[in-house]
């Protein structure tokens, strides 16, 4: 069973009785350990798709199975639990708590988890070191550069050791050098067994993935493997 | 998520916007301050009144003409002339009330006292020489009038210290004659300064034999009060019973419902007055409670703004695994923390103001006021403050918890 199975997925927004179809029947599957990039022009529905994949929003039609289960198989609290334990999110706008320290930001998912409090600092520090920010652990998030902020966001996505990391244009607000650093970290995480879904509209960023799914007008325009590097099977989460 | 972490999360949320939080709780602070102040002053006033009543002696029994008032608005003016000389004689008889220690009839009223060009509004008490003992007052110059003066309707008067000051200034008062109702009364004594005793201020009083007062000043043949002292405190109930029986007998009353007098002990009086101050305190507290509602709406308003402002934070927390319940708890706790802190500050401020008031009342107004901060006031303050947080925080907290994580993340 693949980790992600999307079949004929549709999504429309309803505002003032007007239906705005955004996704018009999307189908694909993503295996455990894959690193897939989703590309498409602005407004094509990439973020919409990612929100559905991340159980942050419900589809209008079609079916989406994560790890074999649909959103309807869970209660709202169980969905929160799945997001907490199995998924990690990285957003274009970083979404850190600006006044909290790096360490506090990274610990945030642990707050909502079942992980024992005695392990929190150790886990968070490990994640912070994994993105190369050990020396910044006690800085406030607002004191960091854009690239550093995004690495903190990755550490936060990582701290609960999720199966999959969703990254929505993580390099969109960064210069090419810090963008490249972020991509290297995502590469490394993929090699360590995390499945990664990356949204980007930059071709050179998408080249870091093994597979590129192009979306146009709410449909899959193309879906091709560009890179055969894969995580060794025994690592896969 | 453990409660401890909900708590620290909420604490950080409140602490992040310190000046806003401070402004938010202002309404609560003011409301709780007023409640504490009112309850504390109410208790102080009650204690003061009770102490003064006890100043009249716990063996004292008061017989009052008229029907016993059935409620606060019942004026009980019927039969107000029902206590007569005959009743006084009957009560004095040992066979009727064997445990009676002393009895003093009392008539009183207000009138103007004139000396030379000076006038002063007096409280006139017509009684016997027992008044000194019963109200624990003493003369600083001269002496009280005597039993002979009472029997002979003598035109003599004992004046309060304030009366002397107003009518005679620093001059001599003893032996001078003051005019009340065109009757010339010779000053035989001046009272030592005493201040308020029970409900009377003897500094502003003129004490004269009751016979003189009845005949020449008030022109009445009845009494306003009999003040009775039982021989022992333990005999009060028995004395009251004997007084009632004697008077019913004198007045030909068989049905106690038809009594044209009533008897009040110091304990009764204390209980009645406590009810009055309690009702007054409750009323004022309810008025202050309105300010708490206003304060609560202020909290709700700011919490709603805060929820909107922090939409992205809410979306983020949900994306990271927070349940609706986690978010609800966080925002509700923030509201309760705000009102709780407001309540704590209000309790301290209310206590401080009440203490300051007690200092002013004792130093400036020379009242025997004792500062009290009733535990019930503190308990009510804490309970009401957190209650307001709960009631007015629940709506914004629900709004926060219901936000869809996706909508919240997209929010600009
Ligand atoms: N809540 C909403 N209500 C109505 N329409 C919406 C809503 N959210 C998104 N849309 C519309 O759905 C379409 C797809 O939006 P989406 O954010 O998924 O695009 P995107 O591919 O991520 O674009 P970009 O590259 O600019 O981020 C857009 O036309 C947008 O206006
Ligand atoms: Mg987008």
């Amino acid at each position: 069973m693949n980790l992600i199975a999307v079949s004929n997925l549709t999504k429309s927004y309803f505002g003032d009785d007007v239906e705005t179809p955004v996704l018009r029947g999307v189908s694909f599957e993503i295996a455990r350990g894959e690193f897939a990039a989703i590309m498409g022009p602005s407004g094509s529905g990439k973020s919409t798709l990612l929100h559905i994949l991340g159980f942050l929003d419900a589809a209008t039609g079609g079916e989406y199975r994560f790890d074999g289960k649909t959103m309807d198989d869970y209660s709202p609290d169980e969905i929160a639990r799945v997001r907490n334990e199995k998924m990690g999110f990285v957003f274009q706008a970083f979404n850190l708590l600006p006044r909290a320290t790096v360490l506090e930001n990274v610990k945030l998912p642990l707050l909502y988890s079942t992980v024992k409090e005695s392990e929190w600092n150790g886990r968070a520090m490990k994640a912070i070191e994994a993105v190369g920010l050990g020396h910044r652990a006690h800085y406030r998030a607002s004191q960091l550069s854009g690239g550093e902020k995004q690495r903190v966001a990755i550490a936060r996505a990582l701290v609960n050791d999720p199966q999959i990391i969703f990254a929505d244009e993580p390099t969109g607000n960064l210069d090419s050098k810090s963008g490249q650093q972020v991509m290297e970290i995502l590469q490394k995480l993929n090699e360590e067994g995390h499945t990664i879904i990356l949204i980007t509209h930059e071709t050179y960023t998408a080249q870091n993935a093994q597979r590129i799914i192009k979306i146009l007008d709410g449909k899959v325009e193309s879906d091709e493997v560009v890179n055969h590097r894969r995580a060794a099977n025994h690592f896969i989460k | 998520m453990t409660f401890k972490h909900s708590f620290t999360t909420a604490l950080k949320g409140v602490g992040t916007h310190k000046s806003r939080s401070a402004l938010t709780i202002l309404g609560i602070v003011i409301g709780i301050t007023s409640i504490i102040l009112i309850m504390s002053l109410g208790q102080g006033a009650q204690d003061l009144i009770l102490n003064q009543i006890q100043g009249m002696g716990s063996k004292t029994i008061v017989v009052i003409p008229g029907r016993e008032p059935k409620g606060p608005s019942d004026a009980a003016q019927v039969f107000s002339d029902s206590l007569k000389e005959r009743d006084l004689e009957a009560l004095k008889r040992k066979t009727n009330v064997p445990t009676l220690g002393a009895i003093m009839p009392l008539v009183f009223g207000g009138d103007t006292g004139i000396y030379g060009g000076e006038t002063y509004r007096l409280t006139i008490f017509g009684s016997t020489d027992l008044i000194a003992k019963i109200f624990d007052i003493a003369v600083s110059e001269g002496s009280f009038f005597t039993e002979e003066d009472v029997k002979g309707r003598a035109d003599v008067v004992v004046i309060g210290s304030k009366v002397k000051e107003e009518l005679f200034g620093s001059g001599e008062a003893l032996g001078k004659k003051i005019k009340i109702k065109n009757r010339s009364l010779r000053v035989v004594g001046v009272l030592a300064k005493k201040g308020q005793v029970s409900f009377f201020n003897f500094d502003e009083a003129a004490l004269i034999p009751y016979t003189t007062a009845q005949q020449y000043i008030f022109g009445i043949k009845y009494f306003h009060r009999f003040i009775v002292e039982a021989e022992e405190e333990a005999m009060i109930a028995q004395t009251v019973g004997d007084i009632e029986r004697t008077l019913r007998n004198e007045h030909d009353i068989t049905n106690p419902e038809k009594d044209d007098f009533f008897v009040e002990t110091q304990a009764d009086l204390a209980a009645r007055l406590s009810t009055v101050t309690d009702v007054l305190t409750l009323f004022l507290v309810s008025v202050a409670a309105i300010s708490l509602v206003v304060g609560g709406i202020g909290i709700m308003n700011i919490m709603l703004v805060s929820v909107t402002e922090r939409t992205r934070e809410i979306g983020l927390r949900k994306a990271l695994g927070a349940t609706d319940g986690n978010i609800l708890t966080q925002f509700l706790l923030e509201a309760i923390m705000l009102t709780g802190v407001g309540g704590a500050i209000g309790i301290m401020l209310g206590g401080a103001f009440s203490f300051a008031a007690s200092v002013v009342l004792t130093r400036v107004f020379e009242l025997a006021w004792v500062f009290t901060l009733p535990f019930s006031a503190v308990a009510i303050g804490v309970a009401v403050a957190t209650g307001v947080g709960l009631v007015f925080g629940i709506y914004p907290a629900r709004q926060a918890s219901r936000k869809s994580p996706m909508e919240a993340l997209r929010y600009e």
Side-chain angles (χ1 to χ4, degrees):
Chain A
M1 191 198 342
N2 277 328
L3 186 59
I4 278 180
V6 176
S7 72
N8 205 21
L9 195 78
T10 62
K11 175 72 186 179
S12 296
Y13 288 107
F14 297 90
D16 300 326
D17 293 334
V18 193
E19 182 180 352
T20 317
V22 177
L23 300 178
R24 302 159 187 267
V26 177
S27 305
F28 59 82
E29 297 205 355
I30 291 174
R32 285 161 218 278
E34 256 193 291
F35 186 160
I38 297 176
M39 294 191 73
S42 183
S44 57
K46 305 182 296 293
S47 295
T48 303
L49 177 61
L50 193 85
H51 289 146
I52 294 170
L53 297 183
F55 278 176
L56 295 169
D57 198 5
T60 312
E63 194 184 65
Y64 165 47
R65 285 183 183 276
F66 175 79
D67 212 1
K69 293 220 165 107
T70 72
M71 217 168 160
D72 293 334
D73 295 334
Y74 297 107
S75 73
D77 282 9
E78 284 167 346
I79 291 170
R81 184 87 175 265
V82 171
R83 284 201 290 259
N84 181 257
E85 291 177 350
K86 302 193 171 171
M87 301 171 171
F89 294 92
V90 180
F91 306 98
Q92 179 175 359
F94 319 134
N95 285 9
L96 301 178
L97 301 180
R99 283 171 227 239
T101 64
V102 167
L103 185 62
E104 285 166 339
N105 267 290
V106 174
K107 280 201 293 197
L108 204 53
L110 296 170
L111 214 65
Y112 301 109
S113 73
T114 52
V115 176
K116 280 204 295 289
E117 192 181 349
S118 54
E119 293 178 28
W120 290 6
N121 275 331
R123 278 207 187 200
M125 281 313 296
K126 211 176 124 215
I128 291 168
E129 270 150 22
V131 298
L133 285 175
H135 58 299
R136 292 277 189 267
H138 297 287
Y139 278 48
R140 289 190 186 287
S142 56
Q143 294 168 328
L144 302 179
S145 75
E148 286 170 332
K149 281 181 187 161
Q150 201 57 298
R151 278 145 70 193
V152 174
I154 294 174
R156 182 180 63 192
L158 195 64
V159 75
N160 254 345
D161 197 22
Q163 287 180 304
I164 189 163
I165 292 175
F166 297 105
D168 190 350
E169 305 208 38
T171 60
N173 280 348
L174 303 181
D175 62 31
S176 56
K177 185 163 163 284
S178 16
Q180 197 46 49
Q181 272 181 332
V182 164
M183 290 321 299
E184 277 164 21
I185 293 169
L186 289 179
Q187 286 270 13
K188 198 177 95 209
L189 292 177
N190 178 240
E191 277 158 26
E192 287 167 4
H194 299 276
T195 307
I196 292 179
I197 297 188
L198 165 77
I199 287 181
T200 181
H201 54 252
E202 301 156 344
T203 316
Y204 65 89
T205 306
Q207 293 306 324
N208 288 285
Q210 299 136 17
R211 179 176 161 195
I212 297 179
I213 301 170
K214 284 193 174 153
I215 305 273
L216 188 66
D217 289 335
K219 288 196 168 146
V220 177
E221 185 201 27
S222 68
D223 183 350
E224 55 191 325
V225 173
V226 292
N227 203 324
H228 285 284
R229 178 184 44 78
R230 280 288 294 274
N233 261 332
H234 62 274
F235 274 137
I236 290 171
K237 313 242 175 198
Chain B
M1 194 184 192
T2 63
F3 182 78
K4 179 185 140 204
H5 293 113
S6 305
F7 189 85
T8 46
T9 303
L11 198 62
K12 278 178 199 152
V14 170
T16 310
H17 305 278
K18 283 191 194 66
S19 58
R20 176 205 281 182
S21 300
L23 283 174
T24 310
I25 62 176
L26 209 56
I28 300 296
V29 171
I30 292 171
I32 298 289
T33 302
S34 357
I35 286 187
I36 296 290
L37 188 60
I38 290 164
M39 290 189 72
S40 170
L41 290 182
Q43 186 65 50
Q46 188 157 322
D47 292 350
L48 181 75
I49 292 170
L50 294 185
N51 276 336
Q52 290 196 340
I53 292 171
Q54 264 126 43
M56 216 162 117
S58 54
K59 291 185 291 186
T60 311
I61 297 162
V62 182
V63 184
I64 303 166
R67 188 162 45 77
E68 184 166 14
K70 291 287 182 277
S73 61
D74 190 340
Q77 279 309 307
V78 210
F79 313 124
S80 62
D81 59 351
S82 60
L83 298 181
K84 303 276 168 50
E85 188 77 35
R86 214 163 57 106
D87 300 324
L88 182 60
E89 297 311 319
L91 290 175
K92 274 183 182 166
R93 242 166 274 143
K94 273 283 167 193
T95 45
N96 285 334
V97 192
T99 53
L100 183 130
I103 180 162
M104 177 186 82
L106 192 66
V107 291
F108 48 78
D111 217 313
T112 310
I114 307 171
Y115 177 76
E118 304 292 336
T119 62
Y120 186 69
R121 182 85 193 160
L122 306 163
T123 315
I124 300 159
F125 293 95
S127 64
T128 67
D129 52 325
L130 277 175
I131 193 165
K133 184 174 161 254
I134 285 179
F135 288 109
D136 188 27
I137 46 180
V139 289
S140 61
E141 303 172 41
S143 60
F144 271 94
F145 48 80
T146 61
E147 243 183 289
E148 299 309 311
D149 291 331
V150 174
K151 278 189 185 134
R153 283 196 196 116
D155 291 327
V156 290
V157 61
V158 175
I159 57 174
S161 57
K162 186 84 190 296
V163 179
K164 187 202 164 192
E165 220 169 88
E166 294 289 329
L167 292 182
F168 299 96
S170 54
E172 180 65 40
L174 286 185
K176 304 273 166 53
K177 292 199 167 173
I178 62 172
K179 262 196 174 154
I180 304 174
K181 271 268 169 65
N182 269 328
R183 189 89 190 161
S184 283
L185 302 171
R186 186 166 48 89
V187 178
V188 293
V190 178
L191 293 175
K193 199 168 163 54
K194 173 89 183 188
Q196 198 87 15
V197 179
S198 192
F199 303 105
F200 313 120
N201 187 343
F202 285 100
D203 295 344
E204 299 168 357
L207 315 183
I208 54 185
Y210 75 87
T211 47
T212 315
Q214 278 185 317
Q215 175 102 6
Y216 304 118
I217 309 292
F218 300 127
I220 53 174
K221 288 218 154 63
Y222 55 88
F223 298 103
H224 293 125
R225 297 284 187 278
F226 291 146
I227 313 279
V228 177
E229 262 190 19
E231 269 176 348
E232 301 287 339
E233 203 176 325
M235 296 173 180
I236 283 192
Q238 190 194 340
T239 314
V240 168
D242 288 342
I243 290 173
E244 285 176 340
R245 197 175 29 72
T246 308
L247 289 178
R248 278 180 200 136
N249 202 23
E250 289 294 315
H251 296 182
D252 293 326
I253 293 169
T254 47
N255 178 3
E257 295 276 304
K258 296 246 156 74
D259 275 359
D260 55 4
F261 66 90
F262 64 99
V263 178
E264 200 163 60
T265 63
Q266 294 305 297
D268 294 339
L269 194 58
R272 254 219 345 256
L273 285 168
S274 302
T275 319
V276 172
T277 49
D278 282 349
V279 167
L280 205 66
T281 304
L282 189 68
F283 169 73
L284 290 173
V285 165
S286 331
V287 173
I290 294 173
S291 67
L292 278 179
V293 174
V294 176
I297 293 170
I299 296 262
M300 181 153 72
N301 186 17
I302 297 293
M303 288 304 295
L304 283 172
V305 171
S306 168
V307 166
T308 309
E309 257 185 23
R310 288 156 68 187
T311 297
R312 283 182 73 88
E313 177 195 326
I314 295 165
L316 171 73
R317 287 180 185 274
K318 285 196 163 184
L320 299 184
T323 62
D324 292 4
N326 293 147
I327 301 292
L328 183 88
T329 313
Q330 180 188 337
F331 279 85
L332 200 54
L333 277 176
E334 284 191 20
I336 292 173
M337 254 172 223
L338 285 174
T339 55
V341 170
I345 295 174
I347 289 169
M348 288 189 285
L349 278 182
F353 284 143
S354 171
F355 183 74
S358 76
V359 170
V360 171
L361 287 167
T362 44
R363 297 271 163 79
V364 181
F365 294 94
E366 298 187 346
L367 292 173
W369 189 280
V370 183
F371 165 73
T372 45
L373 185 55
F375 175 75
S376 60
V378 176
I380 286 176
V382 171
V384 166
T386 42
V388 165
L390 202 64
V391 168
F392 291 96
I394 191 91
Y395 176 68
R398 281 193 80 95
Q399 298 289 96
S401 73
R402 283 177 174 177
K403 280 186 190 294
S404 124
M406 181 276 304
E407 298 275 1
L409 280 170
R410 276 189 192 270
Y411 185 85
E412 297 291 328

